[in-house]
Amino acid sequence: MIFNPDYECMPRKRIKDLQLSRLRGILSRVWENVKFYRQKMEEKGLSLKDLRTLEDFSKFPFTVKQDLRDTYPFGLFAVPERDVVRLHASSGTTGKPTVVGYTARDLETWAELTARVLYAGGLRHDDKVQNFLGYGLFTGGLGMHYGAEKIGATVIPTSVGNSERQINIMKDFGTTAIIGTPSYTLHLAEVMKDMNIKREDLKLRVGFFGAEPWTEEIRKELESSLGIIATDNYGLSEIMGPGVAGECQLKSGMHIWEDHFLVEIIDPETLEPVEPGEVGELVITSLTKEALPIIRYRTRDITYLIEEPCGCGRTMARIGKIKGRTDDMLIVRGVNVFPSQIEEVLISTQGVLPHYQIVLDRKNHLDIIEVFVEVSDNIFQDKMRSLVEMERGLTHKLKSVLGIDVKLRLVEPKTIERSSGKAKRVVDKRKLS
Ligand code: ADP
Ligand code: K
Ligand code: ZN
């Protein structure tokens, strides 16, 4: 039932002791090897001696995504570059990507932790698991790949896209387990219908979904249309990638591997810890990472902590479903999009007025993003050709900046609703509670 019971079922008192000793180790490692962390601690008048208990840790400085950008590409690495055996980068396309690295031991840990997640959700040695998370710089595909291999399952690394082929492979190879984003998998379920393939024609039994927020309604839909048990899993590249936390088959919160990660929930305004069980921003410290240790990382993800024991026997705490993010980042088909990126493209184009609105919707289970933008009167009076050219140029530019298709709507001046306060730039109709 449990991949590594020695750790996953460790008494909580022992988990805390282990965390404190590992935390001391990681702090002294970054103090020695990462100038950024040492400076930030010194600025606060802190030294390693100031960590006597886990509670003392709340005095230590936070790390944010911008810190990784400012030190791009390898400024926060704690080992010589030659000891790094793998690099990944976040798809976040705002300015420079954030680069993350792994030593050989980090990769072993990563495989162990994705194996725990997959095992908890029901993956076994006998399964054939089709992984349609992206393989490449994105951590999703390769991260899950090695965990599934560690369990001994047969991995089918189809990566993302080519929906009909995905379904043919499921059918022909006898795929029993799938790993993907919930939105793409819903899309696959639709394509399956179009191909006249029923769930009885496939052998699917379990599915692992993450990388973006999804609701219980989507879970029900995935489970009934594909005949699977669908579990949620969570991760982020800065901390490791997938494998940070995952649900067991009781589907009541995601077990977070506390022997490798120290979890805090804070109030994003006051930065103080919230009461146990209360909703706030998830802050994670890596306790064992060698290449890129990360201290008190503000994930921007909103959730809560469940410390009560779970019916499955694991003692590791759980985080509730991610409720959203504290920043304005939009996740469209798993890709991070900031409204400011769209604004930049629009504003730098002649004839475009500073009035626009981004409308997100979901059609056939796929996110769609539409941008309504006002263009100046004289362009409208101009020949039709320049409008068409402008539309084509902008569509192309948005695609190259964001990496996804955007439907562009040029509209007449004063047709986009004005608001008296902050402009409502984003309308998200995707119904995520
Ligand atoms: P990329 O930037 O390449 O898309 P990241 O690793 O940075 O990939 O994405 C991590 C973010 O994805 C998380 O901070 C969170 O907002 C979101 N995410 C990941 N897993 C889940 C999940 N199970 N539920 C909701 N959001 C998730
Ligand atoms: K993501
Ligand atoms: Zn459990």
Side-chain angles (χ1 to χ4, degrees):
M1 273 294 287
I2 289 167
F3 187 75
N4 189 342
D6 288 349
Y7 285 98
E8 293 177 64
C9 305
M10 193 181 257
R12 289 208 64 77
K13 166 85 175 74
R14 274 191 55 212
I15 296 175
K16 298 281 178 198
D17 291 345
L18 181 67
Q19 286 188 319
L20 182 59
S21 77
R22 287 186 166 176
L23 185 58
R24 286 207 180 99
I26 205 95
L27 280 181
S28 72
R29 205 123 42 79
V30 300
W31 178 271
E32 290 299 321
N33 300 307
V34 189
K35 208 171 85 199
F36 167 88
Y37 284 121
R38 186 177 181 146
Q39 267 173 1
K40 283 204 4 182
M41 287 185 224
E42 282 176 340
E43 271 165 29
K44 288 197 148 210
L46 293 167
S47 75
L48 298 178
K49 290 196 302 280
D50 292 301
L51 186 87
R52 275 179 219 92
T53 64
L54 282 179
E55 284 66 45
D56 292 337
F57 191 45
S58 63
K59 292 185 283 201
F60 282 72
F62 292 105
T63 308
V64 294
K65 196 175 182 85
Q66 188 61 39
D67 295 327
L68 282 136
R69 292 210 186 98
D70 292 344
T71 53
Y72 174 88
F74 309 134
L76 294 188
F77 283 25
V79 297
E81 276 173 45
R82 65 183 301 273
D83 291 341
V84 174
V85 300
R86 174 93 67 78
L87 292 170
H88 280 284
S90 145
S91 69
T93 35
T94 39
K96 289 184 173 138
T98 46
V99 180
V100 297
Y102 306 78
T103 63
R105 213 190 73 179
D106 288 337
L107 288 186
E108 273 170 39
T109 306
W110 195 11
E112 147 96 20
L113 299 189
T114 48
R116 286 189 198 174
V117 164
L118 293 168
Y119 205 87
L123 191 75
R124 294 294 180 269
H125 198 290
D126 293 333
D127 279 302
K128 291 197 189 87
V129 57
Q130 193 165 324
N131 184 6
F132 37 81
L133 289 172
Y135 280 68
L137 282 179
F138 176 52
T139 53
L142 283 166
M144 285 299 205
H145 182 99
Y146 289 101
E149 279 191 356
K150 202 173 173 82
I151 288 173
T154 309
V155 185
I156 310 166
T158 45
S159 193
V160 74
N162 210 339
S163 306
E164 291 202 2
R165 194 183 63 162
Q166 297 271 8
I167 290 158
N168 284 328
I169 287 177
M170 279 183 207
K171 191 159 163 266
D172 298 344
F173 293 11
T175 301
T176 57
I178 52 178
I179 305 174
T181 62
S183 56
Y184 183 64
T185 311
L186 279 172
H187 178 66
L188 282 183
E190 285 230 322
V191 175
M192 219 173 94
K193 234 181 251 163
D194 295 341
M195 292 168 72
N196 219 352
I197 291 179
K198 291 179 201 58
R199 57 181 256 193
E200 292 76 29
D201 301 328
L202 303 177
K203 296 204 174 103
L204 299 181
R205 39 170 230 102
V206 284
F208 303 86
F209 306 102
E212 63 186 4
W214 56 306
T215 56
E216 287 301 328
E217 287 72 54
I218 293 179
R219 191 199 309 258
K220 277 188 208 116
E221 174 129 14
L222 284 171
E223 293 191 325
S224 66
S225 60
L226 297 172
I228 56 172
I229 294 172
T231 50
D232 191 6
N233 66 81
Y234 170 84
L236 64 170
S237 50
E238 293 85 350
I239 298 300
M240 189 173 73
V244 174
E247 285 179 334
C248 63
Q249 288 201 331
L250 297 177
K251 297 185 273 197
S252 50
M254 298 179 275
H255 289 283
I256 183 155
W257 310 124
E258 294 174 283
D259 46 338
H260 296 275
F261 308 111
L262 182 69
V263 196
E264 301 168 78
I265 307 281
I266 62 162
D267 178 327
E269 301 293 324
T270 65
L271 306 183
E272 295 297 323
V274 300
E275 295 295 313
E278 246 179 63
V279 170
E281 180 180 341
L282 177 65
V283 172
I284 305 179
T285 299
S286 71
L287 295 172
T288 54
K289 278 240 305 270
E290 292 183 332
L292 182 64
I294 192 142
I295 307 297
R296 298 197 88 199
Y297 186 69
R298 290 187 59 186
T299 65
R300 305 278 171 183
D301 292 318
I302 302 296
T303 184
Y304 55 95
L305 199 64
I306 309 162
E307 286 204 75
E308 291 77 50
C310 180
C312 70
R314 291 177 183 80
T315 50
M316 298 270 157
R318 288 164 284 162
I319 52 172
K321 244 192 190 324
I322 305 296
K323 289 181 187 293
R325 295 182 51 87
T326 59
D327 56 21
D328 61 357
M329 188 182 86
L330 307 167
I331 303 182
V332 185
R333 281 174 245 145
V335 173
N336 303 346
V337 172
F338 288 84
S340 57
Q341 292 177 280
I342 295 174
E343 186 169 313
E344 271 168 34
V345 170
L346 297 180
I347 302 292
S348 64
T349 305
Q350 231 198 351
V352 168
L353 302 175
H355 299 291
Y356 67 93
Q357 196 162 49
I358 301 162
V359 179
L360 295 163
D361 209 344
R362 194 161 274 157
K363 255 189 207 139
N364 300 328
H365 305 304
L366 273 187
D367 291 334
I368 50 172
I369 176 163
E370 260 179 319
V371 176
F372 290 80
V373 57
E374 295 182 6
V375 293
S376 70
D377 262 327
N378 42 16
I379 292 227
F380 257 102
Q381 281 152 13
D382 225 21
K383 286 181 229 103
M384 201 50 197
R385 222 189 64 216
S386 57
L387 266 183
V388 172
E389 268 168 18
M390 175 185 249
E391 191 175 358
R392 209 178 282 148
L394 272 174
T395 304
H396 180 79
K397 211 160 164 195
L398 284 170
K399 166 132 197 184
S400 70
V401 169
L402 304 175
I404 52 173
D405 284 310
V406 171
K407 207 163 179 61
L408 193 74
R409 308 272 192 198
L410 300 181
V411 298
E412 286 185 61
K414 303 201 180 59
T415 47
I416 292 173
E417 201 194 332
R418 304 287 194 264
S419 92
S420 49
K422 245 169 110 84
K424 192 167 175 151
R425 294 298 191 201
V426 179
V427 179
D428 198 339
K429 300 180 180 167
R430 296 179 296 178
K431 285 201 222 79
L432 291 167
S433 55

